[in-house]
Amino acid sequence: MTEQTLILIKPDGVRRGLTGEILARIERKGYAISDLKLVHALPEQLHKHYRDHVEKSFYPGLVDYMTSGPMVAAVIEGRRVIEGVRSLCGDTDPTTAAPGTIRGDYGRDWGTEAVLNLVHSSDSAESAQWEKSVWFG
């Protein structure tokens, strides 16, 4: 059974020229890119996307980070793709993310308010469906 997930290559990933490398890792794993676009996040989109975090203390810094530059939004598909892409991305803390993962190989603590961790990937089929609607309509 094929499923879909959403990834966002966040502003630090785009700014550092890692978009091609990140997408290549996903494709080399055997997953397909079924939709792709460059986006400039609006605060309203982030409010929808991060609806569970809006009231948390780190949310304003997250919005500043996610609106600091362009991002790439992609819909990725394949068997067990949600689990597979999350494994490719690695731990959300780039300092502790395992070597060989996107965050482990390219991320680190930059001393900023928000954690600059290069990518977002959906954590469930329900989240993927919701997040795709936020970024792709």
Side-chain angles (χ1 to χ4, degrees), residues 2 8 37 44 56-57 60 62 84 120 130 132:
T2 298
L8 296 174
K37 68 179 179 177
E44 302 81 41
K56 296 183 179 169
S57 62
L62 178 63
H120 164 83
W130 172 255
K132 287 186 315 182

Side-chain angles (χ1 to χ4, degrees), residues 3 7 12-13 37 42 45 57 64 66 75 117 130:
E3 62 184 9
I7 67 157
D12 57 321
K37 68 179 179 177
L42 300 172
Q45 284 174 300
S57 62
D64 288 345
M66 298 293 280
V75 176
N117 64 3
W130 172 255

